[in-house]
Amino acid sequence: MTHPAIEALLKEERVFPPPDSFRRQANVREESVYEEAAKDRLKFWEKFAAELHWFKPWKQTLDWNLPHAKWFVGGRTNLSFNCLDRHLIRGRGDKKAILWEGEPGDQRSLTYAELHREVARFANALRSLGIRRGDRVTLYMPMVPELAVAMLSCARIGAAHSVVFGGFSAEALRDRINDSQSKLVVTADGGWRRGSVIPLKANVDEALSGAPTVEGVIVFKRMDGKVPMKGGRDLWWEEALKGQGDSSPAEELESEEMLYLLYTSGTTGKPKGIVHTTGGYMVGCYATTKWIFDLKEEDCFWCSADIGWVTGHSYVVYGPLLNGATTLMYEGAPDHPEGDRFWKIIEKYRVSVFYTAPTAIRAFMKWGDQLPKGRDLSSLRLLGSVGEPINPEAWIWYHEIIGGGRCPIVDTWWQTETGHILISPLPGITTLKPGSATRPFPGIEAEVVNDQGELSESGYLVIRSPWPGMLRGIYGDPKRYQEIYWSRIPGVYFTGDGCKRDRDGYFWLLGRVDDVLKVSGHRLSTMEIESALVDHPGVAEAAAIGKHHEIKENAIVAFVTLKSGVAGSPQMEAELKEHVAKKIGAIARPDHILFAAELPKTRSGKIMRRLLRDIAEGRVLGDTTTLADATIVQSLKEKYEDKEG
Ligand code: WT7
């Protein structure tokens, strides 16, 4: 875990108390909220739950039978109703719900009343196609309002959505469709990314050649509609909506009914379908959005994450809409056509709360201060960061250059599994330290423990008690759920993150302690990359590791042993990179491939990734005494240095 940026981070001494002007207007101003929540955690969450609509009140706030949590047991509710109808009933139908900008510059907006109508019609379309409560629907779409419409429509009728990021390949899509046994896929004829069209429909066609559960495909027309449509299976979005009425009763769902599945990478070659349910997730998203992003009636909230990731689920769609806020969606890349696209969007829509990732911030820094300085960013009042530790340099740049020195920054720690933010400042209360996610949200019992599960200044981040939005399991694999999250340190939730606490009790996240990598904010498993490599007929063995990268956090380095008779040529290198992109998606394409006659192994045959990391980072080799053959690693090191300089 030695990492130059993090070393610097741990020496960070600067502090930033909330500016008075911010504190005065903040939704949360009293430090006592922490104590009150700690005294009675359940009561803390009940208060938020009571601000939302329940068709039938819950009987028991929490039923905890480790590792199985049920929240708001006996209650009946509906996320779509709470995101839409609740605001209409209160006369807020004319408020803008979604502001959208496409990459080519096209614009649309939907009020709560308009979004409600679209959702009702699409929900009716789903029903008329035979989609029922309990079914799964895969959404493979660009960042267009229809993706939010499809999610809210699934939620309305009680079908679980499984959003697959548009950057995943046809094969990755097929695996996810099959694991979830989806009956329907909703896609588009394409989406814009950096001036090119992502061939979503073509990928769906390829994926469906081996996906027997899928009965139909709905295709949203984002491009010119010139894609092949398969008779009896494929239907245009507009056709599906034809004749559908604009009222559609929301199903009264049990609190613990599945809301969605979202696949994420773990430490094996197979992604896990993380299960989130209705009532608890709703309350967690609502509460954290309200308190951490300090939302007000006049705010324009922009979370720049793709809806294909959990950040987009919780803080582009559900959290802001539950709060009746205006959420902004942008379809494309931050550097299209130029590197000031985000700042132009903030200026144009008067964005007041902006939430993005450190990897993006580091890219902006590299593109130069003149880009944001050329735009009016005075509408901003609060900034957020998520996805990986933010290095103090990036924090300070974000604070000064984007926030004009006046906006607090909420560095929010959470995971696909946690559903919503668990560790974060409260912007009206918390004194910030650049690089620290500061402290757990009220009601969250986070701790740092050692291997024995004892409290420790540095070690593993664990969560001691259940929280409303926590995952309820891994789809179809209860054993793995128990093993991965609840067995490493018995009785507590194991996050997989290393963490330190300072003398003020602040949490400093140190990155993953397992084989999960963050590459430009995308979560990947080294095992998944290795499986993709050995799937190539020329490859005998492969080991993938992360190497520190200035902007992406990690670059992927793969060490590959080829089968005898196969040459380690530059063509082979290119072919293998392409192979991984085809198996998983371009986000997983290795940055470097090194061919090795043999990989360094222990006498029991385990590949020593630690030594491979030393080689890739250009470090002095660590302990090699347990190696079966110590000469392998030395020659590999020389070869790597020759090649990568
Ligand atoms: C992993 C979860 C949470 C939404 C986006 C990522 C890392 C996340 C922070 C932060 C340090 C962070 C952790 C975590 N991470 N936020 N503020 N500081 N690290 O969700 O793809 O499931 O990844 O992201 O390592 O375990 P995800």
Side-chain angles (χ1 to χ4, degrees), residues 97-119:
I98 296 179
L99 302 178
W100 175 83
E101 183 162 302
E103 196 183 70
D106 38 348
Q107 291 176 54
R108 283 166 61 197
S109 71
L110 291 149
T111 63
Y112 273 90
E114 288 162 342
L115 182 59
H116 178 269
R117 201 190 61 222
E118 293 307 308
V119 168

Side-chain angles (χ1 to χ4, degrees), residues 311 387-389 411-416 497 509 512 518 523:
T311 312
E388 48 174 302
D411 175 358
T412 63
W413 179 93
W414 58 298
Q415 309 176 299
T416 304
D497 275 35
L509 277 304
R512 302 288 306 195
K518 277 301 179 83
R523 179 166 160 181

Side-chain angles (χ1 to χ4, degrees), residues 262 264-265 274 305 309-312 315 355 358 385-390 410-421 423 435-437 461 493 495-498 508-514 516-518 521-524 553:
L262 184 59
T264 191
S265 295
I274 301 299
W309 312 109
V310 75
T311 312
Y315 300 107
Y355 188 33
S385 168
V386 62
E388 48 174 302
I390 180 165
V410 286
D411 175 358
T412 63
W413 179 93
W414 58 298
Q415 309 176 299
T416 304
E417 291 88 338
T418 70
H420 51 79
I421 298 165
I423 303 182
S436 170
L461 177 67
Y493 173 82
T495 63
D497 275 35
W508 296 80
L509 277 304
L510 303 173
R512 302 288 306 195
V513 295
D514 53 13
V516 170
L517 285 186
K518 277 301 179 83
H522 304 316
R523 179 166 160 181
L524 293 167
E553 182 178 20

